[in-house]
Amino acid sequence: MDLKLPSHVAIIMDGNGRWARARNLPRVAGHYEGVKSAESVVRLSRELGIKYLTLFAFSTENWKRPREEINALFELLEGYLKEKKEELYELEVRLRFIGRRDRLPQSLVKLMETIEAESDKFNRLVLNLAVDYGGRDDIVRAVNKALTEGKKKLKEEDFSAYLDLASCPDPDLLIRTAGERRISNFLLWNLAYTELYFTETLWPDFREEEFTNALRDYSSRERKFGGILNE
Ligand code: IPE
Ligand code: IPE
Ligand code: MG
């Protein structure tokens, strides 16, 4: 593929519920199928040489869902991570988690910490999983951290360093599946100049071909960052 590739791709993985409903299945069946799409995107990103992939798995607003679905989502995530972590290490994927940890099940938080420590040495692909993540919450936590350190005034770059994605460049491309055209409180600060790509495809149907289409579209974009192109 002769494409100008993004170095950081962020994805709002949406449409699992609709995918399941269309098949008369429980919503959680859509989440299970969605995991396979996440795997496929991880593998292709790694093969293509994309350096950072950030996936929105659970938002600070998703607590509004029925307890049953919330529990199923955390069980799915924990089970998946336990089962697949070694495979991800073999692929030299470094896993990191962004978002709050104070409201998640203890066992999940422990596993997240273990995985972050164990995969620390890899750098083929950095995979950030956003769990109990909200862009506003990220900003407020960052402000509070700075205040706790006694900071009185900050520059943009100093402020970025307090955010969950401090060590990653801003996303070059944001993909949202399932037809919704909104940010839903994802990376509010970091998406300032990100190229946006929306597709009707539901997340469980978003596999290699769909991802390649998004990358091709990105490749044709002219990024100006407020400047003008050299002619
Ligand atoms: C995205 O799919 C997964 C999460 C938000 C956890 P949804 O569950 O939002 O699916 P729809 O939007 O109801 O189809
Ligand atoms: C955004 O999807 C959050 C995740 C994909 C984890 P939602 O389905 O929760 O977003 P809204 O409610 O349509 O904005
Ligand atoms: Mg949704």
Side-chain angles (χ1 to χ4, degrees):
M1 225 180 345
D2 189 21
L3 294 177
K4 185 181 70 194
L5 282 173
S7 125
H8 185 175
V9 178
I11 308 184
I12 301 176
M13 312 183 287
D14 198 15
N16 295 351
R18 278 163 276 178
W19 184 92
R21 194 171 58 200
R23 288 162 181 77
N24 272 321
L25 295 168
R27 291 179 56 83
V28 65
H31 297 316
Y32 272 87
E33 197 59 27
V35 169
K36 297 183 197 160
S37 298
E39 269 196 298
S40 130
V41 166
V42 167
R43 283 180 187 274
L44 189 55
S45 297
R46 176 191 175 275
E47 277 162 32
L48 293 174
I50 290 167
K51 283 288 165 198
Y52 305 89
L53 180 64
T54 302
L55 302 179
F56 205 3
F58 192 89
S59 76
T60 48
E61 286 70 36
N62 286 147
W63 293 105
K64 293 177 191 159
R65 296 189 179 203
R67 193 69 231 183
E68 241 175 54
E69 178 170 350
I70 295 174
N71 289 345
L73 278 167
F74 292 146
E75 272 166 34
L76 171 62
L77 180 62
E78 193 168 333
Y80 176 82
L81 289 172
K82 267 188 199 144
E83 188 190 323
K84 301 282 177 146
K85 68 185 182 97
E86 300 294 339
E87 228 172 90
L88 289 165
Y89 300 163
E90 270 163 40
L91 295 174
E92 295 179 87
V93 173
R94 178 172 182 190
L95 267 130
R96 312 196 69 190
F97 297 88
I98 61 170
R100 298 173 59 147
R101 301 203 181 174
D102 58 328
R103 305 189 288 196
L104 297 174
Q106 255 325 99
S107 55
L108 177 59
V109 174
K110 276 196 101 169
L111 181 62
M112 283 159 54
E113 287 166 354
T114 307
I115 289 178
E116 282 183 336
E118 286 176 350
S119 69
D120 199 33
K121 52 187 176 292
F122 304 126
N123 66 1
R124 175 88 188 237
L125 170 73
V126 176
L127 172 59
N128 300 300
L129 284 183
V131 185
D132 199 5
Y133 179 87
R136 288 184 172 176
D137 178 74
D138 190 4
I139 291 169
V140 170
R141 278 187 290 109
V143 169
N144 283 326
K145 259 184 258 169
L147 290 174
T148 308
E149 289 180 10
K151 294 278 190 303
K152 293 272 186 303
K153 211 174 173 193
L154 290 174
K155 293 196 181 67
E156 273 187 25
E157 316 82 79
D158 305 331
F159 180 71
S160 304
Y162 288 97
L163 292 166
D164 286 346
L165 281 186
S167 54
C168 298
D170 287 340
D172 300 294
L173 170 65
L174 171 78
I175 298 171
R176 180 165 189 152
T177 58
E180 250 61 71
R181 286 162 166 78
R182 54 177 171 258
I183 303 294
S184 297
N185 199 16
F186 200 23
L187 305 160
L188 297 179
W189 174 277
N190 318 260
L191 293 175
Y193 253 106
T194 302
E195 296 295 327
L196 309 177
Y197 179 87
F198 299 104
T199 170
E200 298 299 318
T201 303
L202 304 175
W203 178 249
D205 293 324
F206 191 92
R207 299 285 159 93
E208 290 211 357
E209 193 186 337
E210 297 287 336
F211 190 37
T212 309
N213 289 342
L215 295 174
R216 196 168 289 126
D217 189 292
Y218 171 82
S219 185
S220 70
R221 308 268 180 111
E222 282 181 343
R223 306 188 73 190
K224 300 193 286 188
F225 298 98
I228 50 175
L229 296 171
N230 295 325
E231 297 188 350

